[in-house]
Amino acid sequence: MRLIAENLGGERGGETVFSNIGFALEKSEALIVTGPNGAGKSTLLRVVAGLLPAAGGKVLVEGGGEAFPTVASASHYLGHLNAMKTALSVEENLGFWRAFQGEPALSVEEALEKVALGGLGHLPLGYLSTGQRRRASIAKLLVSRRPVWLLDEPTAGLDKASEERFAGLMRGHLQDGGIVVAATHLPLGIEGAKALQMAVGL
Amino acid sequence: MWSLFLRDIRLSIRAGGGALIGVIFFLAVIVTIPFGVGPDLNLLSRIGPAILWIAALLACLLGLDRLFQADREDGSLDLLVLNSDRHILALTVLMKCLAHWTGSVLPLVVAAPLLGLFMNMEPLGIGATALTLLIGTPAITFIGAAGAAVAVALPRGGLLISVLVLPLTIPVLIFGVSASYGAVANPAPFLQPFLILAALTLFLAVLGPLAAALALRHGTD
């Protein structure tokens, strides 16, 4: 499994945010994207996921097999928003994404245990704090199997213990042959990760 | 795919889901009409099917702006689009439309016979109007989905959707009302306009979600 980006360019509202960005990630490799606000980290992740059209270049996966032929089908995307409904319980939210996304991995209860939300699954998401909602959203990565994790500020709102637990989850994913692309300001605690430094107006 | 249907149904009946807004609006309009038109029972029973249809059409348009906007605001829409290799996006949209119709529009159809009594309609006319509403209102939801997808990024796009969608729903209204009249007024036919209404619903069940999926795919930012 390889994730390859060649000469990627991205634009927002007609303005070029970045251009000529390329990387190639083998399995078990991580890429940490850093840079100041407005450097285009989120745009890069959305272009890689295929949620924004690339202004130039292309992204592809190799060796994904039948289950993961395209980048979109091989990727989890964790954006700034949690993609969970406040009116539904945590279990209902996760259960929905597990059924909808296919390739089921951990059960909802196991995933909640992994993010230390065990016993809170019956509560509506609206009753949880910001950090707990983020952890519930992270549990979404665990209920369906995807080799590529695209993470945009994944640890925003998390406390120290949760950050470490999340680093452990990412290491586990990498050990299982996964690929992580994360945009962040904070160190994520993954050893040996590649780094991509973005600058404003590159 | 059914998980999406179940989720949207659940959301529509939970607090803030807004499933009842359409019914309450429908009720308010129909109850007001006899006061405005006056106590002329013949006139009321003659305009009854048309009033029921117009009120149902407007009530259908009420909740449409939230169809995709709620998903966009919490980031779910990104994941729905991201999974379009597994679930064709047009089918995802179709499923959301069906859930929206079941949650918000079906109650209108159920309430229509009761409100038909307010308009002094005879039982056959009430039955025919309810049947045409049952067959015709999905078409309004399907057209509305295309409008909702175009206006998904606009914070107050509700009125814009209504204006975009209203002209396209006119054929549905015309054939719905003429089939309802056909059931009671003898020389007018019932079956022909009813079949055209059913054909419109089937046609728009394909076209609406396809157009909406296209708009959603190009509307992400």
Side-chain angles (χ1 to χ4, degrees):
Chain A
M1 180 87 196
R2 272 159 60 87
L3 175 70
I4 303 158
E6 290 168 356
N7 298 323
L8 270 191
E11 57 179 31
R12 274 284 165 96
E15 294 275 317
T16 302
V17 185
F18 58 82
S19 55
N20 285 328
I21 286 202
F23 55 80
L25 295 171
E26 301 287 333
K27 66 181 177 124
S28 304
E29 281 190 333
L31 178 72
I32 307 293
V33 184
T34 53
N37 296 136
K41 302 187 293 296
S42 298
T43 308
L44 174 66
L45 283 183
R46 291 183 72 82
V47 168
V48 170
L51 293 170
L52 277 179
K58 57 181 177 179
V59 193
L60 57 145
V61 287
E62 283 178 358
E66 270 182 25
F68 309 109
T70 61
V71 181
S73 66
S75 299
H76 267 309
Y77 173 76
L78 180 67
H80 290 275
L81 301 165
N82 288 328
M84 312 273 265
K85 299 287 178 190
T86 49
L88 298 181
S89 74
V90 180
E91 276 169 359
E92 284 170 335
N93 270 305
L94 288 174
F96 160 67
W97 284 119
R98 186 170 191 267
F100 184 80
Q101 297 193 125
E103 301 285 331
L106 295 184
S107 74
V108 170
E109 290 77 23
E110 287 167 338
L112 283 175
E113 289 293 334
K114 289 266 189 190
V115 294
L117 283 179
L120 295 181
H122 62 285
L123 287 179
L125 187 82
Y127 290 5
L128 301 188
S129 73
T130 309
Q132 286 174 322
R133 289 184 198 192
R134 194 63 178 164
R135 269 144 65 188
S137 190
I138 286 168
K140 198 162 74 270
L141 304 175
L142 305 172
V143 292
S144 320
R145 201 165 61 84
R146 294 284 191 280
V148 180
W149 286 8
L150 304 173
L151 313 170
D152 195 356
E153 300 284 355
T155 55
L158 292 184
D159 58 26
K160 204 76 196 158
S162 305
E163 275 179 23
E164 276 159 24
R165 207 177 299 112
F166 179 57
L169 290 176
M170 282 194 291
R171 281 194 293 269
H173 176 63
L174 292 172
Q175 271 163 17
D176 291 344
I179 291 172
V180 172
V181 181
T184 182
H185 294 290
L186 306 163
L188 287 179
I190 314 175
E191 296 86 17
K194 293 184 176 177
L196 175 64
Q197 173 79 34
M198 297 182 76
V200 178
L202 193 70
Chain B
M1 213 43 148
W2 287 106
S3 53
L4 181 63
F5 180 81
L6 287 176
R7 183 196 73 153
D8 277 18
I9 292 282
R10 272 202 198 112
L11 280 172
S12 70
I13 55 177
R14 295 274 163 95
L20 285 178
I21 292 176
V23 187
I24 292 167
F25 177 80
F26 190 44
L27 186 82
V29 172
I30 299 294
V31 169
T32 322
I33 295 286
F35 291 105
V37 172
D40 182 346
L41 290 180
N42 289 331
L43 177 64
L44 277 181
S45 67
R46 205 165 66 240
I47 61 172
I51 296 293
L52 278 183
W53 254 95
I54 292 171
L57 170 65
L58 295 178
C60 280
L61 297 179
L62 253 191
L64 270 177
D65 56 324
R66 298 299 292 165
L67 185 58
F68 300 115
Q69 216 172 48
D71 276 338
R72 183 174 188 274
E73 278 165 10
D74 65 16
S76 303
L77 189 61
D78 284 341
L79 297 194
L80 295 180
V81 174
L82 193 66
N83 278 287
S84 55
D85 285 338
R86 282 188 178 77
H87 306 292
I88 302 165
L89 194 54
L91 285 180
T92 305
V93 171
L94 179 70
M95 216 36 108
K96 281 190 73 70
C97 290
L98 291 178
H100 174 82
W101 183 81
T102 312
S104 311
V105 183
L106 193 56
L108 300 183
V109 181
V110 174
L114 176 70
L115 297 174
L117 292 177
F118 286 32
M119 304 299 292
N120 189 39
M121 289 162 68
E122 53 183 290
L124 183 64
I126 290 179
T129 308
L131 183 65
T132 52
L133 281 175
L134 182 72
I135 299 298
T137 44
I140 299 169
T141 307
F142 294 137
I143 307 173
V150 169
V152 66
L154 302 175
R156 301 201 50 88
L159 185 64
L160 176 67
I161 296 173
S162 301
V163 172
L164 275 178
V165 164
L166 209 52
L168 301 172
T169 57
I170 295 300
V172 181
L173 181 70
I174 289 173
F175 286 106
V177 173
S178 57
S180 307
Y181 275 121
V184 280
N186 219 0
F190 168 75
L191 197 60
Q192 287 86 336
F194 182 75
L195 288 179
I196 292 183
L197 185 68
L200 274 175
T201 298
L202 290 176
F203 176 66
L204 290 167
V206 177
L207 197 66
L210 277 179
L214 203 64
L216 286 178
R217 190 175 287 285
H218 292 280
T220 53
D221 56 4

